[in-house]
Amino acid sequence: MLQLKYQPYYDRLVQDAPFLASNGRLNEQLVDKIILQLNRVYPQILSNKEAEKFRNPNARLKTRFSDLLKHLLKKGDKDCQEFYRALQNHADWLYLLLPSRSNMKTSDSTTKCTDQVTIQEKYILNERGPVFFLACFSVAAGLAFLMYCCNAEVKPATGVKKIVGFSAIGFGRHVKNVLISYMEDTSKS
């Protein structure tokens, strides 16, 4: 189980600022996305004028970003928290690598957690992919359709019989036998 110690966002930003400002961590687009989110979603954090200042393409990216961090540190803990939320929304991979996050994790003999394990746990539900989901959904929809057609109280339309009969063409031998036998049973009644 992962246990986190509470650390104010202000202190976390002070700790993470050198890591974030180092070369190669952030690019122009990512910084712009963070600034735009802070400006549009939370205009009390960054006014339009401040956002334009931090997005000025004539200034160096490292300078603009360090000025943004200084501005957020002056504003307080709540604004620093919104910065972390914007960073997590736009660069989750970078958010997971922050030094303050690795310091917050407790590690004892039973619960050792690394960033790689955390990333793997995040995507554990997606290991089978979209084709598996579509296959399962198709089977469930097909079974629901067959249950609807097999209900003795509801008489299926003749068009439904034709559809079920023709749908057997693309399936394997066992499924084909079930669908054809269903079509023969409904045609007898």
Side-chain angles (χ1 to χ4, degrees):
M1 181 171 177
L2 182 65
Q3 297 176 351
L4 299 177
K5 300 176 189 173
Y6 176 73
Q7 184 179 12
Y9 289 98
Y10 178 88
D11 295 341
R12 288 177 59 188
L13 191 57
V14 168
Q15 182 181 359
D16 293 334
F19 175 80
L20 290 170
S22 64
N23 287 337
R25 300 271 183 215
L26 297 168
N27 59 26
E28 188 88 26
Q29 291 177 332
L30 180 59
V31 173
D32 284 347
K33 286 179 184 178
I34 292 171
I35 291 170
L36 286 174
Q37 181 172 344
L38 292 174
N39 174 246
R40 291 183 179 156
V41 178
Y42 306 102
Q44 66 274 17
I45 295 175
L46 281 181
S47 66
N48 288 336
K49 185 177 180 180
E50 292 166 335
E52 287 176 15
K53 180 179 104 176
F54 296 130
R55 293 186 69 213
N56 181 7
N58 296 331
R60 289 184 41 220
L61 177 64
K62 191 171 182 178
T63 306
R64 291 185 289 140
F65 188 69
S66 61
D67 289 344
L68 172 66
L69 294 180
K70 288 175 190 174
H71 174 77
L72 292 172
L73 289 171
K74 288 178 188 174
K75 289 271 196 160
D77 196 53
K78 179 70 175 162
D79 297 347
C80 295
Q81 179 182 7
E82 296 308 328
F83 168 77
Y84 277 106
R85 185 172 291 147
L87 182 65
Q88 187 175 15
N89 286 345
H90 298 293
D92 195 34
W93 59 272
L94 183 61
Y95 179 77
L96 292 173
L97 297 175
L98 291 174
S100 63
R101 288 201 38 90
S102 61
N103 291 343
M104 288 171 45
K105 295 176 186 173
T106 59
S107 60
D108 55 272
S109 61
T110 59
T111 60
K112 289 194 176 185
C113 184
T114 63
D115 292 331
Q116 186 177 15
V117 172
T118 306
I119 292 170
Q120 288 175 350
E121 288 175 0
K122 179 181 176 191
Y123 296 110
I124 198 157
L125 294 176
N126 295 334
E127 66 185 8
R128 293 197 174 131
V131 175
F132 179 76
F133 168 75
L134 289 174
C136 290
F137 182 76
S138 299
V139 168
L143 289 175
F145 183 70
L146 282 176
M147 287 179 62
Y148 172 75
C149 292
C150 290
N151 192 350
E153 298 170 2
V154 178
K155 295 291 181 186
T158 56
V160 173
K161 292 179 193 174
K162 291 179 185 176
I163 292 172
V164 171
F166 286 120
S167 65
I169 294 172
F171 291 112
R173 184 177 48 140
H174 298 294
V175 176
K176 196 181 293 187
N177 290 340
V178 170
L179 291 174
I180 290 174
S181 67
Y182 170 73
M183 192 174 101
E184 290 172 357
D185 289 344
T186 56
S187 62
K188 290 179 185 176
S189 52

